[in-house]
Amino acid sequence: MIPAGRSAWRRTSALTLSTLIVASLAGSGGYAWYLRSQYYREYCAGRLSANLSLPSDIGGVVPRSWTSREFTDVVVWLPDRRDRAFTCRSALLRYAPTAADPDAYELELRDGFTEISTRTWLRSDYRFVVESGLRTGFIPDGPQRVRFSRMNLAFERDPFRLELNDAAGEVSFEEADRGRATTICTSLNGHACAEPVFLRTVFSPRSAGIRIDELVLKVPRLPIALARLHELSPVDIRHGEFAGELSYRELDAGDQLELSGRCYGLDLTECTQGLLVTPVRGRCPEIEVRELTVLDGAPQRLRFRGALRDVELGDLLANLGLAGADGRVTLSVGAAELSRAGLDRLVASGQARDISLERLSRAAGWGLMTGTLQVTIDDLVIENNELRALSATVRVDDPGPTPNWVEGELLRRALSSALKLNLPPVLPERIEYTRFGFTVVVRDEVMELFGSHGPQDKTILTVRLFGRDLGIVGQPESAIDLRPWLDRLRADAAGRLQGVPGAAPAQR
């Protein structure tokens, strides 16, 4: 038998325990009902709208635990609700304390779309989640990180736009004044990629929004048109493929774009459009672009190496004032560096073939000379717009049944100007020639010429007079200073480039 006092104590304890259990269950049920209520949902949407200064909707709130809850069908609208700026089917917020921040939270987004611009990706943009029940009152700090999956992302800086579809990744706000984002996806600007595309972004808050300190996009081999370079610079490249890295930075000096990687099947016309007065036609089967820098739409620097095929010589010479020439050039470029000052460095070798001497001499305006010229370039080095080294062989093909000829006045002027040779004052109007060829060697803009035939191979030009072949031009005994002529050429080229965006006068 239980004593009366002890029985009363047990009844009192049972009543107290029952009361606590009922109160706890009632409190839990009431809190869950409150979180799911239309009033609470509208309150969250109102807080979101106030923080972003944009109309916002939240479809529902689902409590997942005491320390996490899910917001469903979140929509942030543009002003006047004319379009959606952000959508998310599910936004799950959970308590995730760390040693550095015992009150830290994380946010996980699934199935939605957002845009990286001045309205998004700030830590403060996510305050509404924290304020919507997990903390009381106004708490300035947002989540430490945001994870996302099955998201469509767009980066936009007028007029450039980059779209990543079905993306997954993470945005970290562990630094108070800087955020970092990493993204992986398999679709870029609507193009399905066989290999993943990686995007890394570093951004920081500014008074007018956010600044993209660095955005780096690494892509597998894709159509180069997907990069939309024409939206950022006068370089309008629509054909060919690219594999490599594209970076974008917002600097105090302006918006900077850098590109590096390998390009395949480029159209040289597109690459030189907007950079030269006369775009140069040709093909680039494979080019390694070590650096292409564009600042505020103006190209600043280009470094590359690779092969150039079927380059129209006439287009190149037209930029030097010699319009009307023809012929094609094939170059193997070991190193090329171009900047606003001109050609900083070029190391190349190659061939120029099928050059009409008649068209070339007509463009020069000194008189006429017929024949088809072939040039083999063994070594070409240009530094700071100066010709440091050149080793090349020049020859004219066998004319066949129709003899080649040169105007007497052209011959006289060329020899007098270049070789300081004086021919007889009376020459035939046209002189037939049978052989023409030489080797040219240039060091620091000082040229030496060597013959190709005749006694000891010292003859450059052999003509036919009175039925006999006569070598009338031999290799000069002394070197020829090309600097005065090249200085004029550089000055003329700089004048023609004055109207090209981003160009600067070439200097020695």
Side-chain angles (χ1 to χ4, degrees), residues 145-446:
R145 64 182 53 84
V146 178
R147 294 187 173 93
F148 54 90
S149 60
R150 300 194 300 273
M151 294 286 291
N152 295 331
L153 308 178
F155 166 76
E156 185 168 357
R157 277 296 189 271
D158 188 34
F160 178 69
R161 184 175 180 84
L162 180 69
E163 297 178 7
L164 305 176
N165 307 113
D166 195 22
E170 178 181 290
V171 183
S172 173
F173 299 100
E174 294 178 356
E175 300 178 50
D177 60 348
R178 183 161 296 183
R180 302 177 186 274
T182 56
T183 307
I184 182 173
C185 73
T186 55
S187 177
L188 174 66
N189 289 340
H191 178 86
C193 308
E195 300 177 39
V197 175
F198 296 92
L199 176 66
R200 183 181 76 252
T201 309
V202 179
F203 51 91
S204 56
R206 292 293 186 271
S207 58
I210 63 171
R211 182 169 80 174
I212 304 299
D213 299 306
E214 182 180 50
L215 182 149
V216 178
L217 178 69
K218 295 183 178 181
V219 300
R221 186 166 172 172
L222 296 172
I224 199 170
L226 292 176
R228 296 174 175 171
L229 296 180
H230 62 283
E231 297 175 347
L232 290 169
S233 75
V235 181
D236 188 1
I237 302 177
R238 305 294 183 96
H239 298 86
E241 296 178 310
F242 170 76
E245 183 174 295
L246 184 148
S247 64
Y248 172 85
R249 297 176 180 87
E250 294 177 351
L251 309 174
D252 293 338
D255 297 341
Q256 176 180 287
L257 172 74
E258 290 187 358
L259 181 145
S260 63
R262 289 190 174 273
C263 298
Y264 306 88
L266 295 183
D267 183 339
L268 193 58
T269 305
E270 295 180 343
C271 297
T272 54
Q273 182 80 40
L275 300 179
L276 298 174
V277 176
T278 301
V280 179
R281 290 166 290 176
R283 299 183 297 110
C284 305
E286 183 174 349
I287 292 289
E288 180 187 351
V289 180
R290 296 182 172 181
E291 176 190 354
L292 170 60
T293 302
V294 178
L295 183 64
D296 278 345
Q300 303 293 308
R301 187 170 182 81
L302 172 62
R303 297 190 299 122
F304 71 93
R305 67 177 183 179
L308 303 178
R309 299 282 184 263
D310 299 325
V311 179
E312 292 291 340
L313 180 62
D315 296 340
L316 287 171
L317 295 180
N319 288 285
L320 299 176
L322 299 177
D326 64 354
R328 293 191 172 186
V329 178
T330 295
L331 283 180
S332 177
V333 180
E337 300 180 10
L338 297 89
S339 70
R340 290 171 59 89
L343 189 53
D344 296 336
R345 179 173 172 80
L346 174 65
V347 178
S349 60
Q351 293 180 331
R353 61 186 186 275
D354 301 330
I355 305 170
S356 169
L357 273 174
E358 183 173 359
R359 298 185 64 174
L360 181 61
S361 60
R362 191 186 303 276
W366 278 13
L368 297 181
M369 181 177 186
T370 64
T372 302
L373 199 65
Q374 312 292 344
V375 181
T376 300
I377 303 171
D378 298 316
D379 182 34
L380 171 63
V381 179
I382 298 175
E383 293 180 348
N384 300 322
N385 298 313
E386 293 186 356
L387 181 57
R388 294 300 185 189
L390 172 64
S391 178
T393 302
V394 180
R395 65 175 177 84
V396 171
D397 287 342
D398 187 336
T402 303
N404 289 324
W405 51 265
V406 56
E407 288 186 346
E409 186 59 24
L410 169 61
L411 186 59
R412 183 199 308 280
R413 294 179 62 180
L415 295 181
S416 174
S417 175
L419 304 182
K420 308 303 180 184
L421 296 177
N422 294 318
L423 294 180
V426 179
L427 288 175
E429 182 179 352
R430 291 182 177 181
I431 302 173
E432 179 185 349
Y433 72 91
T434 56
R435 298 191 68 178
F436 177 49
F438 58 89
T439 296
V440 57
V441 176
V442 178
R443 294 291 181 267
D444 294 329
E445 303 195 339
V446 176

